[in-house]
Amino acid sequence: MERILVSACLVGRPVRYDGRAKDVGGALLARWRDEGRLVPFCPEMEGGLPVPRPPAEIEGGAGGAAVLAGTARVLTFAGADVTGNFLAGAQAALAVARSMGITIALLKEGSPSCGGLRIYDGTFRGRVTPGAGVTSALLEAGGVRVFGEDRLDEAAAYLAELESASGTS
């Protein structure tokens, strides 16, 4: 059975920067939970950040790949550098995925850690820009396909492909 690494906030855990969850709910996630597929994970907490915590964005909206390459930082609104925490959380997420044979992740879109297609632009003005968060970028580079919570149907189709190819369900 294929397991799915999932942002803990998407399954109701109050781990976001503001101390809240972003529970997606719905029949599909409930089925995956009941099947024991979901592996909840919060890279920011695993990287050592508290809940609640100041919001953070990748400077210049450069994206997770730039953070991984050392050419951009993750900063709080006050300017504190939390790059190390984000890198540690991303490495922990990849380690969990590898140890459990996970090749699919469902992560919180827009997050500086988990965003897959879009992140905030680094100005703390609520503007989004195309790009991936630090954890998403590392997971993708490590062979884990990342989907945001707004792409559940695509994630389900990919999961079906994986299971068809491996002969499991």
Side-chain angles (χ1 to χ4, degrees):
M1 173 180 59
E2 294 287 336
R3 306 283 304 258
I4 302 167
L5 189 70
V6 62
S7 292
C9 64
L10 296 179
V11 292
R13 296 190 182 171
V15 296
R16 286 176 40 96
Y17 75 94
D18 59 5
R20 297 181 181 187
K22 280 286 186 176
D23 196 347
V24 173
L28 185 58
L29 237 54
R31 187 180 89 220
W32 287 345
R33 182 190 59 242
D34 293 346
E35 292 171 350
R37 292 181 185 279
L38 300 181
V39 178
F41 192 88
C42 177
E44 293 175 27
M45 285 190 62
E46 290 297 321
L49 294 172
V51 174
R53 58 189 167 272
E57 295 184 9
I58 299 171
E59 63 183 346
V67 175
L68 293 170
T71 60
R73 301 174 298 163
V74 184
L75 304 173
T76 68
F77 181 75
D81 187 340
V82 290
T83 305
N85 300 96
F86 278 73
L87 290 170
Q91 289 289 344
L94 183 58
V96 166
R98 285 184 173 158
S99 73
M100 300 183 82
I102 293 173
T103 59
I104 183 171
L106 179 63
L107 303 181
K108 177 68 187 105
E109 197 59 75
S111 160
S113 289
C114 298
L117 297 177
R118 60 188 180 280
I119 56 172
Y120 288 94
D121 70 358
T123 65
F124 294 93
R125 293 189 178 131
R127 296 192 302 231
V128 266
T129 188
V134 180
T135 297
S136 289
L138 186 63
L139 287 173
E140 287 275 357
V144 178
R145 182 102 178 262
V146 175
F147 297 90
E149 75 277 14
D150 55 350
R151 297 173 53 214
L152 281 173
D153 289 343
E154 291 176 53
Y158 184 66
L159 180 63
E161 283 178 38
L162 289 173
E163 292 192 328
S164 176
S166 68
T168 63
S169 55

